[in-house]
Amino acid sequence: MSRIFSLFVAFVASFLLIGSVQADVKVLTSIKPLQLIAAAVQDGVAVPQVLLPPGASPHHYALRPSDVRKVQSVDLLYWIGPDMEGFLPRVLNGRTLPSVAVQDLPGLKLRHFADDSASHEDEDHGSDEHDHDHRPGTVDAHLWLSPLNARVIAAKMATDLSAADPANASRYQSNLKGFNQRLDAMDARLKARLAGVAGKPYFVFHEAFDYFEDNYGLKHAGVFAVAAEVQPGAQHVAAMRTRLQAVGKTCVFSEPPLRPRLAETLVAGLPVKLAELDALGGYTPATAQGYEQLLEKLGNDLAGCLESL
């Protein structure tokens, strides 16, 4: 009986010892795409949390008291930066634990909005202008849509987690390697899928996809509203409808969950298909493969509409 009791005590002690050396690192990300990257790095260890619920705007989210408490208490917090989540800086001022604005990471390929409401590549991270209406010269903060940037973000997360949780450091590094390998395979699949529609014109309601387009040789033919929350004026609507008439068969993409009120007016009587591109992947499960699923769905939805014309 005493031997059985001794074995039981040894088992409990070893269990407690294992628990004591494995840090319970709580990770919070501002938006779903960052959660998906973190989920790949933390796979098999923990599941990261996300601040914004599906369908919420990262530009104008209103924090609840429970959100503020969460922001203050988690061990590691990752957000895009003030060019995206304008509601966060004030709350982060009171945070003492590490917070990472990923738009400031070395090695990231940033784009800035140009005078023609398109973007051009610029590796200068020194701009301190923060604007959600996509004014010329401001940072295009939709940087997660570049697989190259996702690799940089994942590497930073793996480094941070390895330091905070040394017991699982090898797991984080192994997960990072697997993530990069899966991105290689996904990148090849998407390039093959999108090659056939690279020359086809299409239009977007919100200039959010330049990073993705640049990576896969695509380019939208026009933007109806440079920011998702800004409704274009009557003159701009008339000009864009004229462009749609000139192009002929094409696709116009909005972002879920809401289709702009002007969508039906813009395309009425024209050979134009309305479809959606989800840049945030709000309902994508937070699994190791979630980030690839977000990008592949984006590519497949875009190609599917253009191939159906």
Side-chain angles (χ1 to χ4, degrees):
M1 181 72 177
S2 60
R3 185 172 183 274
I4 295 175
F5 179 76
S6 298
L7 289 173
F8 174 75
V9 171
F11 171 78
V12 172
S14 63
F15 178 80
L16 293 175
L17 178 62
I18 292 173
S20 66
V21 299
Q22 290 186 348
D24 183 17
V25 182
K26 292 183 173 60
V27 175
L28 176 67
T29 69
S30 58
I31 59 174
K32 175 53 74 80
L34 293 180
Q35 184 197 27
L36 299 179
I37 298 173
V41 178
Q42 288 191 282
D43 184 43
V45 180
V47 178
Q49 304 175 65
V50 64
L51 188 62
L52 267 67
S57 168
H59 294 312
H60 303 295
Y61 184 63
L63 287 168
R64 300 166 298 179
S66 59
D67 294 328
V68 175
R69 289 193 295 271
K70 188 181 296 184
V71 166
Q72 298 293 353
S73 64
V74 293
D75 300 299
L76 293 170
L77 185 146
Y78 297 91
W79 60 308
I80 298 296
D83 293 282
M84 176 62 67
E85 306 97 329
F87 61 88
L88 265 181
R90 181 178 58 83
V91 180
L92 292 179
N93 284 338
R95 179 175 159 80
T96 58
L97 295 166
S99 302
V100 178
V102 300
Q103 73 176 52
D104 296 329
L105 292 179
L108 218 64
K109 298 290 186 180
L110 289 186
R111 302 174 66 91
H112 289 71
F113 293 107
D115 291 332
D116 60 355
S117 293
S119 297
H120 63 280
E121 190 168 311
D122 190 331
E123 296 185 28
D124 178 14
H125 295 197
S127 173
D128 59 358
E129 296 181 63
H130 310 308
D131 185 89
H132 307 311
D133 293 337
H134 301 188
R135 290 185 299 185
T138 57
V139 172
D140 180 350
H142 307 88
L143 53 87
W144 66 87
L145 292 178
S146 164
L148 297 174
N149 287 342
R151 294 176 192 270
V152 174
I153 296 167
K156 171 61 175 171
M157 291 176 171
T159 297
D160 292 346
L161 284 162
S162 296
D165 181 16
N168 286 306
S170 61
R171 181 63 180 264
Y172 297 132
Q173 297 302 322
S174 176
N175 286 346
L176 175 64
K177 182 178 179 180
F179 179 67
N180 287 329
Q181 290 173 341
R182 293 196 305 274
L183 285 192
D184 288 338
M186 177 211 70
D187 201 45
R189 291 193 301 270
L190 276 179
K191 284 177 177 175
R193 177 72 197 279
L194 294 168
V197 299
K200 293 188 177 183
Y202 60 92
F203 296 78
V204 295
F205 273 97
H206 173 210
E207 190 169 14
F209 305 100
D210 285 21
Y211 287 95
F212 184 85
E213 292 172 338
D214 181 65
N215 197 71
Y216 295 107
L218 304 168
K219 183 58 189 168
H220 55 267
V223 181
F224 292 126
V226 292
E229 297 85 3
V230 178
Q231 289 295 320
Q235 185 176 357
H236 185 62
V237 171
M240 295 307 295
R241 184 168 167 82
T242 299
R243 292 190 66 182
L244 285 175
Q245 291 172 323
V247 168
K249 291 183 179 180
T250 189
C251 293
V252 174
F253 295 101
S254 60
E255 293 177 75
L258 299 176
R259 177 171 288 174
R261 295 188 300 272
L262 291 169
E264 303 296 337
T265 302
L266 282 166
V267 305
L270 300 178
V272 175
K273 288 192 173 183
L274 291 173
E276 290 185 339
L277 295 178
D278 188 0
L280 286 168
Y283 292 97
T284 306
T287 66
Q289 295 77 32
Y291 178 77
E292 301 104 89
Q293 292 170 1
L294 185 158
L295 258 62
E296 287 213 76
K297 185 176 189 309
L298 191 64
N300 288 333
D301 288 347
L302 191 150
C305 185
L306 293 176
E307 289 167 351
S308 69
L309 297 175

